[in-house]
Amino acid sequence: MPADVFTAPLKKPGHLGDDWLEPSQAQYDSDQDAIWNDLFERQMGVLPGRAATAFMQGTEKLDLGRGGVPEFKRLSEELDALTGWSVVPVPMLIPDHVFFWHLANRRFPAGNFIRTRETFDYIQEPDVFHDVFGHVPMLTDPTYADYMQEYGKAGWKAMKYNRLKALGALYWYTVEFGLIEEQTGDIRAYGAGILSGPTEAVFAVEAESPNRIMLNVDRVMRTDYVISDLQPTYFVIESFEDLYRQTVERDFDKLYRNLPPAFTYANSAVIDVDYVVNRGTQEYLLRGGRGSGAKPA
């Protein structure tokens, strides 16, 4: 990155190069493979009828339930044959500009570790289950795979304009917590943050609390989001072609010049330009969310 562009001051482990890639994938023992298997079984019991068709087909194409943590080399060969992507191991969250560079070159960085039994239900930093199970099946869809590459290409532009928070909101509300209306009234999840957790997989598509609003890129990039709790609002796309068109064909230079440095809208807001699919009660949020023990409703 140019010297005048801010990058997060993350300390790179000494054994890594500038690409932040691990020399090889971790070797997982039988207990860790069992954690993957149990997580996989739990999610596959929840997701049918709630996950996007493209995701469910992707898990089958890559045979993610073959047992144990998937081997990245084999997974990458299969994914490359479908859409030209690969999966590469990283030790931790990596700097934004490095992450963008990998995406722009059709490489998905995946955590080189798996959660423990003690962190089975929630882990703060994404592990191999979140990254591979949650994200990688969607990369078997050609249009979505192209969207991810274009997102990576867009990253450095956002950094140049110091609008990384805005681009991060777009990632959050699409790649991590996006919904798709596959048929009228049939809303399903394609975001990895939803698909890799059982509670949000139900909450996002069925609960009365959250808003569900059709995606508007300009609006989304002005909207705050929740990192460690269920989302008060989800944004819905008509198709992956619609998602690609709304983003890749948007003049982001002009958008960034007009965006304020901070978010404009609260994460629970419904505004006059919104096409609202479901205006939520916000009961879960108003009761205090996860910290209060409120029931997702």
Side-chain angles (χ1 to χ4, degrees):
M1 293 298 296
D4 61 342
V5 174
F6 174 79
T7 59
L10 297 176
K11 183 174 177 56
K12 179 166 64 69
H15 69 286
L16 302 184
D18 290 340
D19 59 9
W20 283 67
L21 296 186
E22 292 274 29
S24 61
Q25 184 184 8
Q27 297 297 308
Y28 294 99
D29 60 29
S30 57
D31 290 338
Q32 292 170 320
D33 280 334
I35 289 173
W36 170 280
N37 294 339
D38 291 347
L39 287 165
F40 182 88
E41 182 179 3
R42 181 174 71 170
Q43 287 311 105
M44 295 308 289
V46 172
L47 294 181
R50 298 184 175 108
T53 300
F55 175 85
M56 298 302 289
Q57 291 175 343
T59 62
E60 293 179 8
K61 290 174 183 176
L62 300 173
D63 193 16
L64 293 184
R66 67 186 66 165
V69 178
E71 199 268 310
F72 284 9
K73 183 177 184 296
R74 180 174 175 180
L75 189 61
S76 294
E77 289 171 353
E78 296 167 346
L79 194 56
D80 179 60
L82 293 167
T83 58
W85 276 76
S86 63
V87 182
V88 292
V90 293
M92 53 192 281
L93 287 173
I94 62 177
D96 295 308
H97 66 290
V98 181
F99 180 67
F100 295 142
W101 180 70
H102 284 301
L103 295 187
N105 288 280
R106 298 177 89 88
R107 292 186 291 263
F108 192 82
N112 205 21
F113 62 97
I114 194 165
R115 67 194 69 183
T116 63
R117 291 286 177 187
E118 291 70 31
T119 57
F120 192 81
D121 291 325
Y122 176 75
I123 186 168
Q124 214 165 14
E125 189 172 351
D127 68 341
V128 69
F129 185 78
H130 170 85
D131 284 337
V132 172
F133 178 85
H135 284 283
V136 173
M138 287 303 309
L139 293 173
T140 65
D141 181 90
T143 305
Y144 184 85
D146 288 345
Y147 168 73
M148 287 293 285
Q149 181 180 29
E150 293 298 331
Y151 184 92
K153 292 179 180 179
W156 286 14
K157 182 180 290 185
M159 298 184 77
K160 184 180 75 172
Y161 282 99
N162 192 26
R163 292 296 180 267
L164 200 55
K165 281 175 68 70
L167 190 68
L170 179 63
Y171 190 90
W172 193 260
Y173 283 119
T174 59
V175 177
E176 291 290 355
F177 293 96
L179 301 178
I180 182 171
E181 188 170 29
E182 295 197 334
Q183 298 179 33
T184 303
D186 183 13
I187 292 179
R188 302 191 181 200
Y190 69 90
I194 302 173
L195 297 168
S196 57
T199 301
E200 195 138 15
V202 177
F203 181 83
V205 299
E206 297 177 8
E208 292 297 321
S209 288
N211 302 317
R212 297 180 188 91
I213 299 170
M214 298 306 292
L215 179 74
N216 177 307
V217 169
D218 291 41
R219 189 265 207 252
V220 162
M221 293 178 75
R222 292 174 165 86
T223 305
D224 199 1
Y225 52 88
V226 177
I227 294 178
S228 57
D229 209 337
L230 304 175
Q231 302 302 305
T233 297
Y234 299 90
F235 290 92
V236 186
I237 60 173
E238 297 175 2
S239 64
F240 297 119
E241 290 77 12
D242 171 54
L243 173 63
Y244 186 87
R245 184 173 59 253
Q246 283 202 54
T247 51
V248 177
E249 295 180 6
R250 181 65 170 88
D251 182 355
F252 276 81
D253 288 276
K254 183 178 180 181
L255 176 59
Y256 288 143
R257 287 193 293 268
N258 290 292
L259 279 176
F263 289 126
T264 305
Y265 306 120
N267 51 46
S268 59
V270 176
I271 62 175
D272 56 359
V273 300
D274 287 338
Y275 184 96
V276 180
V277 179
N278 174 72
R279 182 158 190 158
T281 64
Q282 298 299 327
E283 178 183 346
Y284 177 74
L285 175 67
L286 293 172
R287 288 183 180 275
R290 177 179 287 140
S292 69
K295 180 181 178 182

